[in-house]
Amino acid sequence: MKDLFDESLTLDTALPRPQAPPAAAALAARQAAGGKAPDTAAFLANFVRIGEIAAPKPPTAPLFPPEEEAAVVAELIAEMRPMFQRDGGDIELIGLTGATVQVRLSGSCAGCMMSARTLSTVQHQLIETLGRPVRVVPEIRH
């Protein structure tokens, strides 16, 4: 405890500073590893390439013409309805306006705490099917 209050010790003298390895040691380590230094340019190029692979690429053009999108959305929601009905609820397409898909949840789905997660799943399926971003919005009744 006395060392903490000893003013004669400073950080410079109390702790040894880490030293960089001498050039000869770095050369010896490089030779042991195969004789070459790591290629930084190749590493960065590979890093960028991996990032490009992982990044989602937006589609160049919509997969469906606008006049067919409403029918595709209605068909996809009709395919999902049995899952909702099996749990005592239902989903119904109200309309498609631009990038907004409005739906009505009824039955046990209307008051379910998981309805946000369910709508997120519907939204994800629509995005994959249409090939463009859409937002699924539940109808709110007052």
Side-chain angles (χ1 to χ4, degrees), residues 40-121:
T40 307
F43 174 77
L44 290 176
N46 189 35
F47 183 76
V48 169
R49 186 182 60 78
I50 290 170
E52 289 173 355
I53 292 170
K57 297 197 177 12
T60 55
L63 298 177
F64 299 98
E67 57 272 2
E68 290 182 19
E69 278 189 349
V72 171
V73 170
E75 182 180 328
L76 185 66
I77 289 179
E79 289 176 8
M80 297 177 112
R81 283 185 80 188
M83 292 184 302
F84 287 84
Q85 292 170 344
R86 194 173 32 235
D87 291 333
D90 202 0
I91 186 170
E92 177 185 354
L93 176 65
I94 302 297
L96 173 65
T97 308
T100 304
V101 177
Q102 189 171 11
V103 295
R104 176 183 299 131
L105 294 176
S106 59
S108 63
C109 292
C112 179
M113 293 186 330
M114 294 295 291
S115 63
R117 176 72 176 137
T118 302
L119 291 178
S120 172
T121 302

Side-chain angles (χ1 to χ4, degrees), residues 5-65:
F5 298 109
D6 189 3
E7 294 176 7
S8 66
L9 293 176
T10 63
L11 287 178
D12 292 336
T13 60
L15 298 174
R17 291 187 181 190
Q19 299 292 325
L27 179 62
R30 195 174 319 138
Q31 288 174 347
K36 290 187 174 181
D39 186 6
T40 307
F43 174 77
L44 290 176
N46 189 35
F47 183 76
V48 169
R49 186 182 60 78
I50 290 170
E52 289 173 355
I53 292 170
K57 297 197 177 12
T60 55
L63 298 177
F64 299 98

